[in-house]
Amino acid sequence: MADESNVQFSEREALLFHSEGRPGKIEIIASKPMATQRDLALAYSPGVAVPVRAIAEDPATAYDYTAKGNLVAVISNGTAILGLGNLGALASKPVMEGKAVLFKRFADVDSIDIELKTEDVNRFIDAVELMEPSFGGINLEDIKSPECFIIEQTLRDRMNIPVFHDDQHGTAIIAAAGLINALYLTGRDIRHTRLVMNGAGAAAIACASLIKAMGLPHDHLLMCDRKGVIWQGREGVNQWQSAHAVDTDRRTLTEALDGADVFMGLSAAGAVTGDMVRDMAPRPIIFAMANPDPEITPPEAKAARPDAIVATGRSDYPNQVNNVLGFPFIFRGALDVRATGINDAMKIAAAQALAALARQQVPEEVAAAYGVSHHFGPDYIIPAPFDPRLMEVVPVAVARAAMDSGVATKPIIDMDAYRQSLRARLNPTTSVLTLAYEGARARPKRVLFAEGEEEVVLRAAIAFKEGGYGTPVLVGRDEVYDRLRDLGVDDPSEYEVHNSRVSPLVPRMVDFLYQRLQRRGYLRRECERMVNQDRNIFGAAMLQLGEADAMITGVTRPYAMSMRELRRVIDAEAGRTPFGIHVVVGQSHTTFIADTAVNERPSPEQLADFAEQTAAVARRMGHEPRVAFLSYSTFGNPKGVFLDNIREAVRVLDGRDVAFEYEGEMTPDVALNEKQRANYPFARLSGPANVLIMPGLQSAHISAKLLRELGGESVIGPMLVGMEKPVQIAAMTSTASELVTLAVLAAGGIAR
């Protein structure tokens, strides 16, 4: 249903997320250069006059010369915010910004949130209608019923761009997709299916209307509200509810469910009992979509009827009805064919595409993250929300339906090319990172946070625990509990804290460390002092003794110092040299840079090893690696005395028969810019490099720090690779969210 899940966090963490740095969640970025007076003259006066005249002569060219064709307005008046009710237009702004973020994250649709300070239906309609020249589509959100029906229908009639109320149709489309597959699994024909809809609000009415458009007979659906069945002649129902009234003598939900094939709930927790489920037809289908708590939980439904297929709106149960599966991709397809609206044909096409996708074999990474079966079945009738295939499957189906139904003004000629363009719009790293988080929740680990007295570390530990990613193990003194309480933790004793001065683990640690270091000049008392006083030593020893699965440190001291301390306790993995990778994540690309953290002057063999291991990390994050060995020189121009190591590294790879593209030596612009690389037709890269192997630590570290501070994109890392235990050293400036990401990557084995 809504975009909710069972992920937990404190109120403080949520407020900090929205307030730290630039307040809010969105900003405007210019898509053209704006550095010089000439740039500004082209962007504004006098250059802007040229496209102005062109659009005045032919309005359709607005899609060519402006952002209109990829711009959606997310509009609300705040009368039905999530499950919080009517809190006003301004209070809805965080939600609408969040919706804009989801549009961009999932379908590369630019979006602006607009909050209208009115509950007057006509004023709202007039305001939105007047915005038509600005946007390619309108997403209405969090508007109470029945006003939302009037607003949407009127705007659809008056406007020549897609208008879509996601609270209605988003839920309906995802539920319809699940229903298609549930009917298939139970051998039912929709024309002979009997369905009970509990709830008579906007989402329920949209679900009922769409399912009827798919073939369910009118009199085969009984809609119920708080007073019972909506039957023909019943008073106190509005015109949209009465459209679903039927001639029946059933009056209560219990009576309606007797012998029913399908239950769909968009009502309230606990509305359905096990006895009601037992009275349903064989192999009942139950969509209990009330949030945050369903009308009946899957365990309760299964206890009553083990043969039931059950879906909810929650991510902690199988078959989540989640709107994020729909609205970004539906708008993507509608915008790409410049549709004048979103009609039933497009909604049904989206539902059918989702249903068909769920029947395909689940990708390994999705299956591992969600713990689902690799095969379509009762516990997998709806695709996982972060299935990377959604982007190319749903928009194609929507676009084709728009063309077939006559609402597309710019038909797509080459659908295969369109699929390719959709795939290129999004960065697979974002899906892999999300799947890593889901995988952590499916297989939680014990992650040691070595600097447990620092606020940012404690906030990360809280987020890690409350997000369900595993158990944080904190190293610190007794005051850690007070600091947890100050951060809003109700029961700090639930957190595991180890004080290195009094821990019962200390004798074992000292024995281990002395055995390891006694022939390197260390006395036993020196090992005791290190264990008692250095949290990195203490934490690393805990990791070596199996008291945790992974470790995070780094926010209180420079990287090199933390690395030296860790290496006293933890060795490199056999046959490998530890090194660091910075991962630069953009909207549609990811670049891996190594070694940015450890080795000052790597040998040719080490450079070749870094290339192989970084390529493996790139593959684990969804990318086909193309490796460039970087230099100040491109194939000997200019000549220099520091090129031999790089050239020899390429020759080393030549002898290893590796399964990825690589080339060097070359400058960054040749590695990344197609036009520059065209000057070297013999180069072995088929596209821009995405794995950059730096010649030495000085250039690598400087580049990574510059990118983090000036690049404007998300930078992860450095990720430490090549240690015998999963340990990560964070940047001293890391945020809580960045620490959680490193913890998840370490525990999940992506950084290894």
Side-chain angles (χ1 to χ4, degrees), residues 91 100 132 254 257 358 567 595 625 699:
E132 182 168 348
T254 300
L257 279 173
R567 290 299 300 272
D595 165 27
S699 58

Side-chain angles (χ1 to χ4, degrees), residues 14 175 314 321 364 378 431 466 517 519 557 664 697 736:
R314 292 175 52 144
V321 179
E364 291 289 338
S431 291
E466 295 185 345
L517 299 180
R519 293 184 180 275
R557 60 196 73 186
L697 184 58

Side-chain angles (χ1 to χ4, degrees), residues 337 343 345-346 349 396-408 411-412 415:
V337 294
N343 56 27
M346 296 160 72
V396 167
V398 171
R400 184 174 283 120
M403 292 188 290
D404 292 343
S405 61
V407 298
I412 294 170
M415 275 293 175

Side-chain angles (χ1 to χ4, degrees), residues 712-736:
E713 295 182 306
S714 175
V715 179
I716 300 172
M719 295 194 309
L720 183 58
V721 176
M723 297 289 282
E724 68 176 356
K725 294 288 186 179
V727 57
Q728 291 297 323
I729 304 173
M732 293 178 68
T733 56
S734 294
T735 65

Side-chain angles (χ1 to χ4, degrees), residues 543 548-552 570 723-728 745-747 749 751:
L543 190 62
D549 300 305
M551 174 178 166
I552 305 296
I570 302 174
M723 297 289 282
E724 68 176 356
K725 294 288 186 179
V727 57
Q728 291 297 323
L745 293 177

Side-chain angles (χ1 to χ4, degrees), residues 114 144 152 250 305 322 365 407 466 482 538 540 560 579 604 695 742:
I114 297 173
K144 68 185 177 71
E152 187 197 37
R250 302 191 185 204
R305 290 293 295 273
N322 190 329
E365 64 271 22
V407 298
E466 295 185 345
D482 294 329
F538 181 87
F579 68 101
L742 272 181

Side-chain angles (χ1 to χ4, degrees), residues 53-71:
R53 286 192 293 267
I55 294 169
E57 293 173 8
D58 180 4
T61 60
Y63 289 90
D64 301 318
Y65 302 130
T66 75
K68 176 180 172 73
N70 194 53
L71 190 60

